[in-house]
Amino acid sequence: MFFLQTVAPTGGVTSNEVFDRYPDLVSSIGTDMGAFLPELVLCLGIVWVIFVDLFSKRQDSRRPGWHALGVLGLSLLTLVLGGFPSAEEAGSLFHGMVVRDGFAVFMKLLLTIGTAICVPMVMSHKDLQGRRMGEFYGLLLGSLLGMYMMASARNLLMFFMGIEFASYTSYLLTGYLKGDRKAAEGGVKYVIYGSVASGIMVYGLSILYGLTGSLDVGAVAQALIVTKASPSLLIITALLCFAGFAYKISAFPLHFWAPDVYEGAPMPFTAFLSVVSKAAGFAILIRFVVAFGAPGADGQALTLASGKVLDLDWPQILAVLAMFTMTIGNLAALWQNNFKRLLAYSSIAHAGYLLMGVAAVVPRIGAEGDPGWQPVLFYLVVYLFMNLGAFYIAQIVAARTGTEELPGFAGLGKRAPVLAVGLFLFMISLIGLPPTGGFTGKWQLLKAAWENGLHTLVLVAVTNTVISVYYYARIIKLMFLDQGDGEGYVLPVGQRTAVVLMVVPILWLGLFMDSTVHLIRSLSFAVIG
Amino acid sequence: MLLTLVTFIPLITAFVVLAIPSEKKAAIKWTALIAAIVVFLLATKLIADYRGGGENATQVFDRQVTTLLEKVQDPGRRRLMEAGVAAIKLDFETRKASDERGPADYAAAVGLTLAENDPDHGTWRSVWELSMAQGAAAAKDIRFVEYAPWIDSFNIAYFMGADGLSLPLVWLTTLLGVLCLAYSWNIEKATKAYFALFLMLQTGIVGVFLALDFFLFYVFWEVVLLPMYFLIGFWGGPRRIYAAIKFFIYTLAGSVLMLVCMLAMYFHAGYDSFNVLTLMEVARGFSHDMQYWLFLGMFVAFAIKVPIFPFHTWLPDAHVQAPTAASVVLAGVLLKMGGYGFFRFSFPLCPDAAAGNIPLWGSFNFVHFLATLGVINIVYGAFCALAQKDFKSLVAYSSVSHMGFVMLGLAALTDAGVQGAALQMFNHGLSSAMMFLIVGVIYDRAHHRNLDKFGGIGTQMPYYTGIATLGFFASLGLPGLNGFISEALVFMGAWDSQAKSAGYPLDPKFVYWALPGIVLTATYILWTVQRVFMGPMKSETYKTFPDVNFREVFALAPLGILCVVFGVWPSLILDFMNSSLSTIVQVVAAVRS
């Protein structure tokens, strides 16, 4: 066997031994709980929302939604009050199960805001009226809790738990509209693809455990350097692990589930999947890549993430995956006629753009510049607003026209100018044109990739941008240049405000990105190992 | 402040226009027109003030470097930085082309040690950047400088400035802005959106000509895209949607390549600068290999805009489908963005490539490359124009032909050639704008543009015929009108290239090959005049056509007058551009090996 040089895992451990090893086990849990407040709020919130639902009438399906919003607000508040831990404060909680650093807090903020935008969409979705919605919000909050774990996990077991927790709740939510054929199809496909991907990932994680006898990411990375594990084994292991992440971010080659699931799921949950779930996937992927790219104790840098393995360096492999992901996403999107499917492929393409930043996460030897995760975070912020905004407007339009197909958008510029201009701005931001955040965000990703010497990747990415114009511009064309039928309508103030609230960050980030970039640069990242 | 006003008044007015209720069409039109006139007057003031002096970029940056140095707390460090600035300035006199020195190199040379997180580190970087910028040859002609930090985290500045190259184009843009808005008085379909988009378009174009920070330039460059897309796509002809998306995708394909070039320069050797003047200085040290790719990348971006064969296919579609005023802006100034790119970016940033020091393929270098494509444009464009049945696409192809002269003049790299090229851009802006307006006038009456179906318009519309003939002859290059001067200068420059070129001497054969273009131009223009204005009237309806009205004369007359003025008194504009243009020639001459 080619991985004989493994460290034998320690045998069974009795509970006494555990206490011997961690004398402060109980007391530290108490102190760590303070930093765990946002998660605790969510845990209680899940119960609370279901509880509220039990005591409300069936037709009163919005009520648990308001409570869910309250829970999210409370969680957001605890996150903000906790602040961003500085580099000195950054560390791990619960004996190395989760990390607490600026990166994790920022990601959690992002995930919470994204979920909070989805909740009103759920509340106003016409197919989700007059049902018992307590479980829906409970599952949604549960999914968010799983994603909190994904953003801060540092133990391989936590990696797996976080992903699975977020996934199982997502399977249920996808198929929430039980009678709907497409929803059922989407739900089943999601479960099958998800289970396969998780299975593959768990196999990869188990090899890591087998090689090193540890589940702590830092210890694993250290042990891999010390034991000088076989490069071919490492590359196979990493690819196996990557399966799990790729499925979460819908990257090539595990992107097949996305279009069907996106089409089948209720629109607000599609929005949630395409933005929040993807952001969490990127958080955990970055955590993984950085952990294994951290300099080792003996100064020998880089094992998995950027070492030259089999004459292939890791950033190059990620770059190739990024190229395939964005190209496949964009080419497939050209042929779509359903808005949700189109945005599904567009979100695959965007996973490719974001992977470009991940490929640059660990500066290659000799390269300097900002770590690639910073542009990824910036782009995720932009992506959150532009993609959720697009879905939000699509939901309003779909409710009016009764169809989620593209022709429903025809003549929107005349019928509802505010919606049309809003969607237009989100589209040009998705293309990546100034003066929107999509441009500055993509520019930063390109910059990071170029800085790391991934020149081919940059060329492929800009070519993809040109390809993507065709299908985004189709929507612009439908809205403004084509004649549509249907009455014009005046938007309620609430919807109008919501559109403006999502457009403003897009323009702000496009014109004045300085403060956000500074904030992201100041975030601490707990380097494990 | 003046440049900001000229750039952003149209944009602000666009939002004002959007706020006016759409029924109040008169208010919308007048608001837009008055804003355009104000901007035009401001631009004229810029022209008038330019000669009067005022601080140029060299002086501005000198002052800013002094201010920056005063803020340095540590006196020892300040002395070192001053020594560093002195070293940079000394280097401007003695520096060999192949040297390449960044902030770290100069710091090392004077013994300045700065940690990455030291607050003075940023200061030194800025000091270096501005010292380099003030030393650039082009800096001495750049006036009305506005320089403020914009996106500090990436060292992107709001840097605007104007020189003899950009100001005439800015003036032309604002002039065409006034004329086009006046000409568009009869637009009834979605008037508000039309005028707002037109004003936004103007902001984009003026911004492109004035921005001297590469990032800012790119933003303006892209801003031009969407208003034009809508103008073609919404108010255009039958195939407008196809033409609009083609325009969009073509231009974007070019500009993303420019984005890549921009990144490559930004990162080269860790300079992290988008200041075009700084880049011009460091560019002298770019390796041949790098310049090769940079030049090709930027070439595609600008060539699509110019447009140069074989990237020209979007142009006939866009021009033919666009509404008249949009065609005028397209031909008049949008194409010049490409030409301007060659003058401002391609040549100074890749001097070795421009000088012909770098072989493109075998012994075929970039000078050959540009000259060949220029000749193809001239001749091929003229042949295509000859074959057109559609009046508007004939004018469109004549643009392709005329823009070829810009390339040929640039490739010649003599003073006369480069002046001719720049003047040709300006003149073509006048004459092609006029020709598109002329087509628009007849199309509004006849509702078709088929050249074979016209005839005898001359007797029915004598004033129109007079103005139109003037415009056509200006385009043809008749002596006494503006087109003649620039085309003659280009030919003189190309002919002289063997003896006087600053770069690789161009074979006079290129002139022979381009000459048929002149004959062909005369042919298609005279034949068009004959088919439209002379002969028997082919349709009875033509008898009902009124002659040009006030709106049309208002748009056409200024252009006609200017064609004559610059035809008999070209030095009016040549003297204005001279210094900036000879700088470009000198920069290239300095690296010629």
Side-chain angles (χ1 to χ4, degrees), chain B residues 495-517:
Chain B
W495 186 266
D496 252 7
S497 184
Q498 201 77 297
K500 291 189 190 154
S501 171
Y504 187 88
L506 203 61
D507 203 290
K509 269 188 262 175
F510 282 98
V511 179
Y512 304 150
W513 291 331
L515 273 173

Side-chain angles (χ1 to χ4, degrees), chain B residues 224-236:
Chain B
V224 170
L225 216 55
L226 284 165
M228 197 40 119
Y229 169 77
F230 282 116
L231 284 173
I232 299 173
F234 195 78
W235 288 271

Side-chain angles (χ1 to χ4, degrees), chain B residues 52-73:
Chain B
E55 271 189 320
N56 62 20
T58 310
Q59 291 158 327
V60 172
F61 289 146
D62 245 349
R63 197 159 40 86
Q64 290 198 348
V65 167
T66 321
T67 333
L68 276 173
L69 288 177
E70 275 164 9
K71 282 192 193 137
V72 178
Q73 299 292 332

Side-chain angles (χ1 to χ4, degrees), chain A residues 483-507:
Chain A
Q483 298 296 323
D485 39 299
E487 292 286 292
Y489 43 87
V490 182
L491 284 186
V493 182
Q495 291 182 351
R496 196 184 288 246
T497 325
V499 171
V500 172
L501 278 181
M502 282 192 266
V503 162
V504 168
I506 293 293
L507 291 177

